[in-house]
Amino acid sequence: MKPGSETRAGLMCWAICVLAACGAPAQVQNPGFETAGTNSSAAANWTVTQASGGPVYAVRTNDNPHAGSFNYEVRLASTGAGPLVEFAQTGVPVIGGATYTFSFYADRLTGSAGDSDQYNIQWFNTNSVSVGQTGYTGYTPGTNVYAQTRVNGLAAPPTAATASIFFHNAGAASLSQSATLDFDDVSLTTTNVGVGPTNQFQIAVVPGVGISWFASNNVSYQIQWATNLSTNTVWNNLGNPIAGNGGSNTVFDPAGPPHNFYQVLSVQ
């Protein structure tokens, strides 16, 4: 016998949480690079995932902001091999099945040559397993002026829970060519949830109980309820056995009294 943990919560509370999640846009942290990381040249929430091939860097700076006081700058120069700099933000919360717009501003400074500039958005499920991506996609920065890249209609896979945003910049394998690019104001937002009557539903106040337990993968579990606890307690099955998912299983019981106590049995 494996007793389960009992979490008492009204279904109204649960429904409100669902509604709030459906209306929540993805939130890129530090989108304008205004907040420093471990030092003033690092941007909080952003990491450099690749840097190779020559005198290269990716730094937070205040020399050319599009808005606010800071921007992010990538420098590509070669010692013979092709230089490469990639920076990213991971763990951006998203809603599976929602449609997103990805936007950012990029400025390719005067004298830049030979660079190839791409973005990639990867989608991950709750187990941090990739469930899709846009692939590395080229875009055109402004020429010594910020230009917006705006990508509409990005559909998050139904199982997506987070997104990772990658900016991938490769330079020429030539000592005579280099490039400097500035970035600012990155966003990943959804506009098709939480607005309009198709996303509204009424919430009924129905008291209930949520029974949660860690469920081993492919093991069957039977939830039972009782009116009281004594040496003669009579346990009654709540629904049919449920197969474990290898994580936390939760079952809601809206019945209320006399469903006063619960237990979870593994069915071997």
Side-chain angles (χ1 to χ4, degrees):
M1 179 183 298
K2 297 182 180 179
S5 62
E6 177 183 332
T7 303
R8 294 188 174 272
L11 288 187
M12 179 181 181
C13 177
W14 173 77
I16 290 174
C17 293
V18 171
L19 178 63
C22 289
Q27 182 62 59
V28 176
Q29 299 297 310
N30 200 16
F33 310 101
E34 298 297 309
T35 304
T38 54
N39 57 67
S40 61
S41 295
N45 304 105
W46 295 92
T47 58
V48 178
T49 56
Q50 296 186 59
S52 61
V56 299
Y57 61 74
V59 296
R60 171 180 175 266
T61 179
N62 61 358
D63 63 358
N64 183 32
H66 170 259
S69 301
F70 288 87
N71 58 282
Y72 205 68
E73 185 167 281
V74 168
R75 173 68 175 173
L76 302 166
S78 177
T79 57
L84 172 65
V85 171
E86 181 180 85
F87 67 97
Q89 182 168 145
T90 62
V92 180
V94 297
I95 304 165
T99 301
Y100 286 84
T101 296
F102 176 50
S103 173
F104 62 92
Y105 289 81
D107 179 3
R108 188 169 176 267
L109 302 188
T110 299
S112 297
D115 52 303
S116 174
D117 309 305
Q118 301 173 313
Y119 68 83
N120 188 13
I121 297 176
Q122 295 185 13
W123 313 97
F124 294 86
N125 63 19
T126 54
N127 295 319
S128 299
V129 175
S130 176
V131 292
Q133 61 178 298
T134 62
Y136 285 92
T137 304
Y139 62 92
T140 303
T143 302
N144 209 35
V145 64
Y146 275 104
Q148 183 185 29
T149 295
R150 183 180 177 90
V151 186
N152 298 313
L154 294 176
T159 57
T162 64
S164 294
I165 301 169
F166 294 87
F167 290 98
H168 187 90
N169 306 103
S174 170
L175 296 175
S176 63
Q177 292 183 323
S178 63
T180 304
L181 298 108
D182 289 337
F183 298 85
D184 210 349
D185 300 323
V186 183
S187 66
L188 180 67
T189 57
T190 182
T191 57
N192 69 337
V193 293
V195 178
T198 58
N199 294 288
Q200 296 177 356
F201 59 90
Q202 294 185 352
I203 301 172
V205 182
V206 182
V209 173
I211 304 99
S212 298
W213 74 100
F214 181 83
S216 299
N217 197 30
N218 295 324
V219 174
S220 293
Y221 295 88
Q222 177 65 60
I223 299 89
Q224 296 184 327
W225 64 271
T227 301
N228 52 55
L229 295 179
S230 68
T231 56
N232 298 315
T233 295
V234 177
W235 291 99
N236 305 277
N237 288 344
L238 178 66
N240 297 318
I242 297 172
N245 61 7
S248 179
N249 272 28
T250 299
V251 171
F252 286 92
D253 178 19
H259 294 201
N260 297 325
F261 300 91
Y262 296 86
Q263 69 176 8
V264 179
L265 306 178
S266 62
V267 182
Q268 302 293 340

